[in-house]
Amino acid sequence: MAKPAAAAGIAAGQCLCGSVAFEIDVPARWAWHDHSAASRRAHGAAYATYVGSWRKRLRITKGEDAIARYEHPATKTVRSFCSTCGTPLFYERARSPHMVNIPRALFASRTGRQPLYHIAIEELQDWTYTGEPLVPLKGFPGVVWQRTKKKKQPEREGMF
């Protein structure tokens, strides 16, 4: 039987207010962008980026009593969040009982995995930024915007 890979380090994370803190051994198992309606609504964002970790490699280091849980009765998924500030913390699926998924944004350092995968890409919203070129907005430092494409004028023959 092969030995499990040793952890290369630790990645620490926390909620917005700091009531809940945790750490995982790195590298994480995998990372992805989730475009599903459920994750979009749970995070209030265009999509959620998750890091998947083996449950045994996750440790709550602060505020375990501040973690609230919501189980979706139909899908049997569980979403945990900070009961103080509302930050989404963990996403668990009944079909993967040994895994816990954690929003990537909660980590201050690298997790050992880059989000290379997209889940539910067919649910990508038409208003989601997908990498179009951005330009600075004059008079507003730090703000960039996507310049609308100019429509080509039809070529006309003659002067009129």
Side-chain angles (χ1 to χ4, degrees):
M1 181 176 207
K3 290 184 179 180
I10 293 174
Q14 70 174 47
C15 66
L16 175 65
C17 70
S19 292
V20 178
F22 54 89
E23 60 187 26
I24 63 168
D25 294 330
V26 296
R29 178 75 175 118
W30 70 317
W32 71 98
H33 303 294
D34 185 345
H35 301 274
S36 70
S39 283
R40 202 169 48 249
R41 289 184 180 115
H43 289 261
Y47 58 89
T49 302
Y50 288 106
V51 170
S53 175
W54 296 108
R55 183 179 306 283
K56 65 184 177 184
R57 295 179 77 173
L58 165 70
R59 293 169 297 283
I60 308 299
T61 58
K62 179 182 174 190
E64 191 163 0
D65 58 333
I67 298 174
R69 297 168 48 91
Y70 167 73
E71 182 174 347
H72 191 277
T75 63
K76 301 294 184 212
T77 56
V78 177
R79 293 185 184 271
S80 300
F81 54 95
C82 174
S83 62
T84 304
C85 66
T87 298
L89 297 170
F90 311 116
Y91 172 51
E92 304 164 74
R93 296 180 232 174
R95 69 176 186 251
S96 301
H98 300 295
M99 295 295 295
V100 61
N101 305 302
I102 308 161
R104 174 61 182 92
L106 302 184
F107 293 96
S109 63
R110 295 186 178 272
T111 62
R113 294 284 182 238
Q114 292 299 318
L116 302 176
Y117 309 97
H118 291 261
I119 305 297
I121 192 69
E122 69 280 2
E123 296 183 46
L124 177 76
Q125 298 297 291
D126 61 358
W127 47 264
T128 303
Y129 174 68
T130 56
E132 300 84 2
L134 302 173
V135 296
L137 182 59
K138 189 175 181 178
F140 294 89
V143 177
V144 294
W145 66 295
Q146 180 182 333
R147 189 173 281 155
T148 56
K149 293 180 176 140
K150 294 181 181 178
K151 294 180 183 176
K152 286 187 175 182
Q153 295 293 327
E155 291 187 28
R156 297 186 178 144
E157 292 183 27
M159 284 184 63
F160 303 101

